[in-house]
Amino acid sequence: MPRVRDRDDPTERYNADLADCLAAVPLLRPAAPGSPAQRRLWRACELCTYLEYRFDAAPDPRSLTDETIHDWARRGLTDGEVPGDPADLLGYRPYWLVQDGTCLGTVAVMVRDLGWGQPCLWIASLYLFPEGRRSGCGTRVMAALEGAARHLGLGGLRLETAWPWQGAVRFYLQQGFWVANWKHGLSLVRYFADPPYRIRHDEGRMAFVVGAARADGARIAARRRGDTLIWEEHAPVGNGDDADADAGEPETLASPAPTFALWLAVCGWPLIRGPQEWERRYHWSDTGMPEGLAYKITVFEGYARRCGFRVDTPRIPGLVYPPWEEL
């Protein structure tokens, strides 16, 4: 029976077209929510996404039964967290990652329109079995999803992750994602209208370079002075009358400052510029300057420790990590 589409709902049309587009991607195979075995394995993969960052020894999701899923969820999830079920993913469409007939993991996608800008392709539940990691599979998945999003004329890719999930955070940064906000976790975005950026890490200096800037054309640079961060912002070049200015550094939809702050954090750099800036940390507690991220890191890690979870993250020089009760 042909799919019935709501012609008055552009998001529904996008999602229907997305399903048609992804049907041609060999790496992606739609999950069957009506299959008990597939539902069990999907929930186990969702659960192990949490467990791998919270316990020293997480189980293999393929070994879990309904009973052991329940037991691990009781120990490893907080109130309000549940293993996602492919039959109820709140609009996301579930896919298995399959290569040469072997299942490598999961991913779920949907088109969302937040009411401003263009709709984006939202990505969730990206999980790879251990033997499929560091093989380029994750990058191939992201490339396939980007291709579909561009084909549909979407504005970019967007997803949510968590600071304690360092493997995921580093992977998405390497994929060129920018920070949208850190209000409840890490909300990351890659707008197609934005030029790519790169991080240049020299001895004692890191720089955030946008587009095809000159070798010295950093948008933001940072240096260390003990436990203090020295932050230097530079105006984009190529916007004046200088004929020699680099014209490859346009304005961006996403802000460079929070993205650069997250890069500094994963590299274990200081995030506090001084006492006055630290006093304003609450002002940047949703997004903005590095002190806001530093403060939210203490919140994210304080809550994880309160729950008894392992916290394996870079130590930020000069940052005090109070217990949850003092935050």
Side-chain angles (χ1 to χ4, degrees):
M1 178 180 296
R3 182 184 295 108
V4 177
R5 302 183 182 182
D6 183 352
R7 296 184 180 275
D8 296 325
D9 185 347
T11 303
E12 176 61 25
R13 293 200 303 272
Y14 273 126
N15 278 301
D17 291 340
L18 174 64
D20 293 341
C21 187
L22 295 182
V25 179
L27 185 61
L28 302 176
R29 181 178 299 172
S35 165
Q38 289 198 28
R39 291 181 66 181
R40 181 187 306 112
L41 181 57
W42 186 282
R43 288 188 293 113
C45 291
E46 291 270 277
L47 175 62
C48 287
T49 300
Y50 292 91
L51 299 181
E52 289 186 8
Y53 291 111
R54 294 178 174 178
F55 297 96
D56 290 330
D60 185 321
R62 293 162 291 192
S63 70
L64 297 181
T65 64
D66 287 331
E67 182 178 357
T68 52
I69 289 174
H70 176 77
D71 183 56
W72 273 104
R74 179 180 54 81
R75 289 185 286 160
L77 299 183
T78 64
D79 292 342
E81 293 177 343
V82 295
D85 190 307
D88 184 20
L89 291 179
L90 301 177
Y92 283 94
R93 296 174 183 265
Y95 289 86
W96 298 109
L97 308 179
V98 179
Q99 183 170 293
D100 298 328
T102 300
C103 181
L104 300 178
T106 65
V107 71
V109 294
M110 73 171 174
V111 177
R112 285 184 65 188
D113 186 351
L114 296 181
W116 49 268
Q118 294 177 272
C120 287
L121 179 64
W122 287 67
I123 303 169
S125 304
L126 179 55
Y127 177 86
L128 289 174
F129 296 125
E131 65 271 19
R133 299 171 191 173
R134 298 180 179 84
S135 65
C137 181
T139 297
R140 292 194 296 274
V141 172
M142 299 304 293
L145 296 179
E146 177 180 344
R150 288 184 181 273
H151 177 76
L152 296 175
L154 302 178
L157 308 177
R158 189 151 182 173
L159 56 90
E160 307 288 327
T161 190
W163 165 253
W165 298 9
Q166 284 290 297
V169 172
R170 293 164 189 264
F171 171 74
Y172 292 124
L173 286 177
Q174 292 290 343
Q175 292 293 313
F177 277 79
W178 301 61
V179 174
N181 65 72
W182 46 61
K183 184 174 183 179
H184 301 296
L186 294 177
S187 183
L188 307 181
V189 65
R190 197 170 81 206
Y191 294 121
F192 297 148
D194 281 347
Y197 69 81
R198 66 185 186 275
I199 301 296
R200 195 169 63 243
H201 196 167
D202 302 321
E203 185 68 27
R205 182 178 185 267
M206 287 182 65
F208 188 94
V209 183
V210 177
R214 298 168 304 194
D216 61 344
R219 182 71 63 87
I220 310 173
R223 301 181 187 275
R224 305 177 61 160
R225 181 183 295 159
D227 291 344
T228 301
L229 179 69
I230 308 301
W231 180 275
E232 304 167 352
E233 294 195 25
H234 306 280
V237 299
N239 295 327
D241 297 328
D242 184 358
D244 295 327
D246 191 314
E249 202 182 348
E251 288 300 317
T252 60
L253 298 176
S255 172
T259 304
F260 190 41
L262 183 58
W263 271 98
L264 293 171
V266 299
C267 292
W269 273 51
L271 293 175
I272 301 173
R273 292 169 292 171
Q276 291 184 336
E277 290 84 359
W278 180 243
E279 286 296 318
R280 299 192 65 201
R281 62 191 179 277
Y282 304 117
H283 178 76
W284 299 306
S285 62
D286 287 353
T287 190
M289 300 304 287
E291 291 79 13
L293 177 59
Y295 164 66
K296 293 308 287 279
I297 285 174
T298 66
V299 173
F300 299 148
E301 296 192 10
Y303 183 69
R305 291 190 178 90
R306 175 182 177 272
C307 295
F309 300 146
R310 184 192 73 208
V311 176
D312 186 12
T313 56
R315 297 298 82 196
I316 307 301
L319 187 60
V320 176
Y321 296 83
W324 177 254
E325 293 73 18
E326 296 179 11
L327 289 168

